[in-house]
Amino acid sequence: MMSDINGRVSIRFLDVGDTEDMLNLMLRNRELFEGVSPARNESYYTREVQAKSIENGVRQKEEDKRYAFGIFLNATGQLIGDISLFEVQRGPHQKCILGYSMDQAHNGKGYMSEAIQLVMKFAFEEVGLLRVEAGVMPRNVGSMRVLEKAGFQREGLARKLLEINGVREDHVVFAMLAEDYLGK
């Protein structure tokens, strides 16, 4: 479990014991998450698919391809979100993409900013990445604010980057470099 001394949240790698909590998080926030995520079929919202997703995350961590964490409230231990570093590229790239989601009941409280700081520490200090990228639809102002607050730099617009609900959506591209993080 990774946490700051004065932090309100911790992150830790998800394991199959988190399946039920992850399923409940996805079900509670289905409408919100579907508005900003690629299409998911109905089976996504089952215990079996959530368990398989977590198992895949464990395997991908061992393969240095993806690092999937749960975000937990320190006060209660409740799973309130997830955050991951995916599409890890080594060799000359040494980069990945940051993805995250937060239970809508906990939005706007600064928890995601804390979680991003913890995952950046992991990315740059523990697994030696040099660049972390994130993409956000321009209408998702709150998510852009979270990235800027965390120290990400806006780099530009990726036109029609990802299909969301059958529509190719533009995404504002953000990045943080190891030198940005370590220079803080």
Side-chain angles (χ1 to χ4, degrees):
M1 181 107 25
M2 291 172 254
S3 180
D4 281 335
I5 288 175
N6 297 318
R8 299 170 297 156
V9 299
S10 300
I11 62 171
R12 71 166 167 75
F13 293 116
L14 290 168
D15 63 50
V16 290
D18 297 312
T19 300
E20 194 70 31
D21 289 338
M22 184 57 84
L23 176 60
N24 290 331
L25 176 71
M26 293 300 141
L27 288 170
R28 274 194 316 274
N29 294 278
R30 182 174 181 166
E31 187 177 330
L32 172 68
F33 294 167
E34 286 181 350
V36 295
S37 301
R40 297 170 169 155
N41 61 36
E42 198 59 36
S43 68
Y44 180 81
Y45 299 96
T46 64
R47 202 168 279 98
E48 294 74 27
V49 169
Q50 289 301 313
K52 188 72 165 166
S53 176
I54 290 171
E55 289 168 4
N56 286 340
V58 170
R59 181 181 43 76
Q60 289 174 325
K61 176 182 75 165
E62 293 165 0
E63 296 170 351
D64 189 35
K65 292 181 179 174
R66 178 172 180 249
Y67 297 93
F69 300 88
I71 303 170
F72 299 87
L73 276 179
N74 287 339
T76 64
Q78 178 189 6
L79 176 69
I80 61 167
D82 68 304
I83 188 165
S84 63
L85 303 170
F86 62 98
E87 293 186 18
V88 174
Q89 295 179 28
R90 295 300 185 168
H93 289 287
Q94 296 299 323
K95 70 174 187 170
C96 70
I97 299 174
L98 172 70
Y100 50 84
S101 62
M102 175 67 63
D103 189 324
Q104 59 192 340
H106 297 283
N107 280 343
K109 298 178 181 176
Y111 296 146
M112 187 55 73
S113 294
E114 288 185 36
I116 289 173
Q117 291 305 316
L118 294 170
V119 86
M120 291 301 96
K121 179 178 177 60
F122 175 82
F124 297 128
E125 295 182 23
E126 294 189 37
V127 292
L129 294 169
L130 299 178
R131 178 181 171 86
V132 177
E133 301 173 354
V136 181
M137 289 182 292
R139 67 175 176 271
N140 193 344
V141 176
S143 190
M144 288 192 288
R145 218 174 21 246
V146 164
L147 290 169
E148 289 168 343
K149 182 178 173 185
F152 277 72
Q153 300 295 311
R154 185 183 299 231
E155 294 191 330
L157 184 71
R159 297 178 306 138
K160 298 187 179 193
L161 178 69
L162 192 60
E163 186 174 305
I164 308 289
N165 295 319
V167 177
R168 299 293 303 181
E169 294 276 359
D170 294 348
H171 281 67
V172 178
V173 177
F174 290 83
M176 182 184 291
L177 306 179
E179 60 203 59
D180 301 332
Y181 172 81
L182 298 170
K184 282 186 181 180

